[in-house]
Amino acid sequence: MTNLDYLPWRRPAAYDDRPAVRDDKHDLTYAGFSTWTDAVAEQLAGYGVGPGSVVAVMLPNRVELLVVLVAAWRLGAAATPINPMFTANEADYQINDADAAVVVNNGPESPNGGRPSIAVDDLRRTRWGDRGLPEPATEPGELALLIYTSGSTGRPKGVMLSHRNIGAMAAMMSEHLKITAEDHCLLILPLFHVNAICISFLTPISVGGQLTVLQRFQPVEFLAAIEKFRPTYFSAVPTIYSHLVSQPDDVVADTSSIRFAICGAAPASKELLAATEKRYGIGLVEGYGLTEVTCASTANPVDGERKLGTVGVALPGQRVGIMAPDGALVPTGERGEVVIQGANVMQGYLNRPDATADALGDGWLHTGDVGILDADGYLRIVDRIKDMIIRGGENIYPKEIETVLHGHPAVLEAAVVGAPHPVYGEVPVAVVAAYPDQVIDVDELIALCRANLTKIKVPVAIHVVAAIPKNPVGKPDKPAIRTSIQS
């Protein structure tokens, strides 16, 4: 099911004059996007980018980010998109772990990991000439994306996604959601996530559709964009839908162009889904996935039965199973770990053979989530094995925050858990204990976190305790900690 038709050099000539991608500064046809991609590819080649290289791109949502991704692919290189809100500590780690040949960012003040960099405003729009660009020869097995996801061991890991992976995902989504050349996606999720790249960009572009990129989400501006651009679908997280349904009654919009919207990245309540559909008349398709499966593995159908409380059925070409601890698949209706097979499953973690073996060693991708499949093949997620916090659709792994807290000389122990939040679902809260004869200054710890972590990872509260409760094997008892911070 691999589909490489998202690559400009594979598009039909009939697409040339069709609208392709736009933001608040640019509006490009397929031909215009291809021309710009070639110019930037030639510029990147001047920095030594070629087959096997990695290009880092640290930009907010804008057309240039997509141009850089495809320009890297034009040269047989991969791209690693970086959260533009990252601190220098976070960004430099990703740039150097990926061994990026060059970084495209906002300018000299942006992190570059000590690597050569190109300011976004200096990206070329036209070719130098006929030199510097080889004929495109992208192969399915070539590395396309390095998407970094935090891990339970602390430092983020680079998820290796090939063109076979991302092409399969585009094909699966277009088949399941019936995306055609008449579809138009309004992109609101951040482009450093695989969801935005694959579902909002590659899926419509692979079939001749179009994409409008919004830089950020503001409820009233978002609804105005729907009225102005008349998109047919968009993908969002539960927090965005919460903001939309909580708008004052006098906030109204013509959303009749939307034939469906996707909800994913975090659990959503039945009540939120129903309230969104009632207020805006938009049918919500809830799905489930993770970066390691190139975004999505299940989704409710657009036209068939949408079972609220489930995340739908397996996408075409994927197999979703429920596995017991002994490695056996369990019968329908029984709970176990969600495991996945398909052409969309990652190649592995960059330079992490042990972590790759743990995730893929038996031929299944182990998600760390607990689920149940019903008789119709609909998946319901009931728990998480992984100690992950999901804040507004963003995955936060406590170990990364705990590592920063342990960097303070007064901190003996630190544990981070998720606390319930009415809008974001969960937010990180820390519990710390001091070394003997040391005093912990909470304000100092907050400042340390702000200096080393993205804003969303900074704990909303830090509680100082005499000792952190432990479980029978001597590890922090996080269920007990969660109970204590809520009491």
Side-chain angles (χ1 to χ4, degrees):
M1 185 173 277
T2 300
N3 170 11
L4 301 186
D5 290 343
Y6 55 84
L7 299 169
W9 47 95
R10 294 175 63 99
R11 75 181 189 280
Y15 287 4
D16 281 2
D17 295 329
R18 295 180 66 95
V21 296
R22 71 178 60 79
D23 59 15
D24 58 353
K25 294 182 180 179
H26 307 287
D27 195 337
L28 301 175
T29 64
Y30 277 79
F33 183 78
S34 180
T35 298
W36 197 355
T37 296
D38 283 352
V40 172
E42 191 174 60
Q43 185 177 10
L44 294 175
Y47 284 80
V49 174
S53 299
V54 175
V55 175
V57 54
M58 186 176 181
L59 296 173
N61 279 14
R62 55 192 295 176
V63 164
E64 288 92 339
L65 193 158
L66 301 175
V67 169
V68 173
L69 292 186
V70 180
W73 300 340
R74 175 70 175 77
L75 297 169
T80 186
I82 302 172
N83 184 343
M85 301 303 293
F86 267 4
T87 64
N89 174 59
E90 294 167 310
D92 288 354
Y93 168 80
Q94 182 172 336
I95 292 165
N96 287 299
D97 189 72
D99 194 20
V102 63
V103 182
V104 178
N105 56 27
N106 277 323
E109 301 304 314
S110 299
N112 59 26
R115 309 290 173 119
S117 60
I118 304 171
V120 63
D121 291 337
D122 293 333
L123 289 173
R124 291 185 175 271
R125 293 297 300 269
T126 58
R127 294 277 304 275
W128 291 318
D130 293 329
R131 58 186 174 82
L133 268 187
E135 287 297 312
T138 308
E139 294 293 335
E142 289 178 4
L143 185 65
L145 291 171
L146 276 175
I147 305 291
Y148 275 73
T149 178
S150 294
S152 57
T153 56
R155 281 297 201 178
K157 302 189 295 291
V159 176
M160 298 188 293
L161 302 176
S162 68
H163 283 281
R164 179 177 289 107
N165 294 146
I166 65 175
M169 180 52 54
M172 292 168 178
M173 292 306 294
S174 61
E175 179 178 340
H176 188 74
L177 300 175
K178 299 178 171 61
I179 304 296
T180 72
E182 302 307 311
D183 276 300
H184 176 182
C185 181
L186 182 64
L187 186 154
I188 189 59
L189 296 178
L191 275 165
F192 57 85
H193 281 316
V194 75
N195 184 311
I197 295 172
C198 288
I199 309 307
S200 298
F201 173 50
L202 298 183
T203 297
I205 291 301
S206 68
V207 295
Q210 59 181 302
L211 169 67
T212 294
V213 177
L214 299 184
Q215 187 171 101
R216 64 183 63 85
F217 173 75
Q218 296 290 344
V220 175
E221 293 175 6
F222 177 72
L223 293 171
I226 290 178
E227 290 194 327
K228 177 180 179 181
F229 295 111
R230 311 300 293 159
T232 60
Y233 79 98
F234 64 89
S235 181
V237 297
T239 297
I240 286 177
Y241 294 110
S242 295
H243 285 303
L244 289 173
V245 299
S246 63
Q247 291 303 296
D249 291 341
D250 60 354
V251 174
V252 295
D254 178 3
T255 58
S256 60
S257 68
I258 301 290
R259 65 182 184 90
F260 69 91
I262 301 168
C263 182
S269 69
K270 296 180 182 180
E271 292 77 13
L272 175 60
L273 298 175
T276 304
E277 294 196 24
K278 180 179 179 181
R279 174 156 185 179
Y280 294 102
I282 298 172
L284 289 186
V285 175
E286 191 174 11
Y288 163 80
L290 56 162
T291 302
E292 287 85 345
V293 298
T294 320
C295 182
S297 282
T298 69
N300 274 277
V302 173
D303 299 326
E305 182 181 7
R306 285 182 286 129
K307 292 189 180 183
L308 293 183
T310 79
V311 290
V313 297
L315 295 178
Q318 294 193 50
R319 184 184 181 198
V320 175
I322 305 297
M323 186 173 285
D326 64 3
L329 296 180
V330 304
T332 297
E334 294 189 15
R335 68 176 55 198
E337 183 182 12
V338 180
V339 292
I340 298 165
Q341 291 177 335
N344 55 301
V345 172
M346 68 169 181
Q347 307 303 292
Y349 297 110
L350 180 69
N351 299 326
R352 306 288 201 283
D354 291 344
T356 298
D358 287 344
L360 301 173
D362 63 355
W364 291 89
L365 173 75
H366 288 255
T367 67
D369 292 318
V370 179
I372 298 171
L373 284 170
D374 71 14
D376 298 319
Y378 285 73
L379 176 67
R380 182 162 61 92
I381 302 297
V382 297
D383 199 0
R384 289 200 307 270
I385 296 173
K386 295 178 180 177
D387 192 23
M388 182 172 65
I389 300 165
I390 303 179
R391 180 196 183 278
E394 295 282 352
N395 294 345
I396 300 172
Y397 283 84
K399 184 66 176 178
E400 189 175 1
I401 306 171
E402 292 163 358
T403 299
V404 171
L405 292 170
H406 279 123
H408 192 284
V411 173
L412 172 63
E413 296 179 305
V416 174
V417 297
H421 189 277
V423 174
Y424 298 114
E426 293 179 301
V427 291
V429 172
V431 177
V432 296
Y435 278 100
D437 303 321
Q438 293 284 330
V439 176
I440 290 176
D441 185 320
V442 170
D443 290 338
E444 285 185 7
L445 290 185
I446 292 290
L448 180 67
C449 289
R450 286 175 176 161
N452 289 280
L453 298 167
T454 313
K455 183 178 178 181
I456 65 166
K457 299 176 188 175
V458 176
V460 300
I462 297 179
H463 303 282
V464 180
V465 297
I468 290 179
K470 305 293 195 307
N471 62 22
V473 296
K475 294 184 178 181
D477 187 345
K478 294 203 170 178
I481 294 170
R482 291 188 189 96
T483 299
S484 69
I485 65 173
Q486 295 172 36
S487 60

